[in-house]
Amino acid sequence: MTILLTGSSRGIGAAIHTALTDAGASVIGHGTASGIPADFSDPAGPTALWNAALEQAGGTIDVLINNAGVFEAATLGDDDWTAQWERTMRINLTASAELCRMAVLHWQSRGFGGRIVNIASRAAYRGDSPAHWHYAASKAGMVAMTKTIARGYAREGILAFAVCPGFTMTGMAEDYLSSRGGDALLADIPLGRVAAPEEIAAAAKFLALEAPASMTGSVIDVNGASYVR
Ligand SMILES: NC(=O)c1ccc[n+]([C@@H]2O[C@H](COP(=O)([O-])OP(=O)(O)OC[C@H]3O[C@@H](n4cnc5c(N)ncnc54)[C@H](OP(=O)(O)O)[C@@H]3O)[C@@H](O)[C@H]2O)c1
């Protein structure tokens, strides 16, 4: 079982990497600090990553996990608001879409299926702060894309799932919590704490390795009941 995992060098990605490796999977990582480097703000990044990963894998990738992403603020008055919108869309959504496309084509050409796990966000359903229109929209796009892939290719054994984490204690969440009053924000989470990266990793590992095929198209929330739908 060979898995391509984006953004594997830190945060949630590093926890997913550990969970999958502990389960015996062969993981091809991606990132600056470890794995195959590829900058998704560069339109050539996703294809370069896919080709390098395929070569490293010896020609077959069984599972794609799109985890890399950015959470950057863009205030309405910023002159570069549109440039920031496009940057977040490219890194969070377009790069994921291009990797999904290459994975689906790969699985179609080899004649048996594969799995996609997209790490989206609670923001896909709940929305986000006024400085994060782009982030919420990129994650909602990921969820819609996941469902579309699930419906389109299930007959070919190609399955697609999404995970929607709430606040998870990584660099991304620490910045957000401190910019929004720290502990006060925790009052919004019935569980009383943010998620641990290992909790998101448990959901991602389940979907990548164990989830029954009939679950294709589903989205798993991991948010301490801070948003229920
Ligand atoms: N933490 C949360 O509260 C939370 C909540 C909901 C959803 N999520 C989602 O979970 C995923 C992981 O989040 P995290 O909290 O673990 O984030 P993180 O600690 O900030 O790590 C982000 C990851 O994305 C990669 N990345 C960032 N910019 C990139 C670029 N331009 N090109 C390629 N890769 C890039 C980074 O790679 P490098 O190491 O190479 O920089 C890193 O591995 C993201 O998709 C995020 O939206 C997180």
Side-chain angles (χ1 to χ4, degrees):
M1 176 67 62
T2 303
I3 301 176
L4 171 57
L5 167 65
T6 69
S8 60
S9 58
R10 57 194 165 97
I12 291 169
I16 297 174
H17 193 288
T18 301
L20 293 171
T21 317
D22 287 352
S26 165
V27 182
I28 298 177
H30 150 255
T32 310
S34 61
I36 300 169
D39 181 0
F40 291 169
S41 68
D42 174 355
T47 304
L49 172 62
W50 179 263
N51 290 338
L54 207 52
E55 192 177 334
Q56 194 172 309
T60 300
I61 290 170
D62 303 293
V63 178
L64 165 67
I65 304 180
N66 282 307
N67 164 75
V70 288
F71 181 77
E72 297 170 344
T75 20
L76 285 189
D78 289 350
D79 288 341
D80 65 347
W81 188 89
T82 302
Q84 294 186 59
W85 170 280
E86 287 177 347
R87 174 178 154 78
T88 287
M89 283 296 174
R90 174 153 287 286
I91 295 169
N92 290 6
L93 183 58
T94 310
S96 299
E98 289 174 342
L99 287 167
C100 286
R101 172 175 177 259
M102 288 180 275
V104 168
L105 289 170
H106 172 60
W107 294 325
Q108 286 179 324
S109 74
R110 74 177 190 171
F112 52 97
R115 286 181 181 227
I116 289 168
V117 181
N118 286 323
I119 309 300
S121 169
R122 179 185 72 170
Y125 292 96
R126 194 178 109 144
D128 213 297
S129 84
H132 295 95
W133 293 17
H134 52 2
Y135 181 79
S138 72
K139 296 301 187 175
M142 259 186 139
V143 169
M145 176 177 75
T146 304
K147 293 178 178 181
T148 303
I149 294 167
R151 289 173 55 79
Y153 309 99
R155 291 266 165 84
E156 297 169 70
I158 296 170
L159 312 179
F161 311 92
V163 180
C164 283
F167 287 123
T168 307
M169 201 33 88
T170 65
M172 196 177 269
E174 271 165 27
D175 290 349
Y176 190 90
L177 280 170
S178 58
S179 72
R180 299 220 135 13
D183 287 351
L185 206 82
L186 297 179
D188 196 31
I189 307 175
L191 190 63
R193 63 169 178 80
V194 299
E198 291 72 22
E199 293 179 289
I200 316 304
K205 184 194 91 170
F206 169 70
L207 293 174
L209 301 179
E210 298 155 21
S214 290
M215 277 186 71
T216 193
S218 63
V219 182
I220 295 188
D221 292 332
V222 189
N223 66 36
S226 60
Y227 190 73
V228 290
R229 61 190 167 85

